[in-house]
Amino acid sequence: TQILKERNMYSTLPEDLENLLRKATRLHVHQDKNKSDLHNKRALQLVEAKIYKLVRYYKKEGVLPADWKYSPKAISLF
């Protein structure tokens, strides 16, 4: 990340959080197409729980702004 920061290619979101957001987006798209897929529903719950934990941690550490919130609808545009 240090090299990316030096070259101004660094994302404002941490990489692990960004990857979880992408995974949640894919799971939401799948859930919209396949409403009765219970395994997908559980996987989405687990991924969103990880997102909420990471957001809490990064807010406490000052990496994310205090008013940043996870919203599945807004993240789908991401």
Side-chain angles (χ1 to χ4, degrees):
T1 56
Q2 183 180 7
I3 294 171
L4 290 174
K5 284 182 182 178
E6 290 172 1
R7 296 182 180 175
N8 294 327
M9 298 172 66
Y10 186 69
S11 174
T12 57
L13 293 175
E15 184 180 2
D16 54 353
L17 181 60
E18 195 172 317
N19 290 336
L20 283 173
L21 293 173
R22 284 189 187 127
K23 183 180 252 187
T25 302
R26 287 193 312 264
L27 288 171
H28 273 289
V29 169
H30 180 82
Q31 185 70 28
D32 290 342
K33 293 178 184 174
N34 305 295
K35 300 269 186 219
S36 61
D37 188 356
L38 296 179
H39 294 288
N40 180 66
K41 184 176 180 179
R42 177 66 177 149
L44 181 59
Q45 290 172 345
L46 294 174
V47 168
E48 286 185 337
K50 290 177 186 178
I51 290 172
Y52 290 126
K53 286 179 188 178
L54 270 178
V55 167
R56 228 182 354 226
Y57 170 75
Y58 284 131
K59 282 183 180 180
K60 185 175 72 172
E61 294 296 316
V63 176
L64 288 177
D67 61 344
W68 195 90
K69 286 192 174 225
Y70 168 72
S71 171
K73 302 253 186 234
I75 297 301
S76 66
L77 301 175
F78 174 71

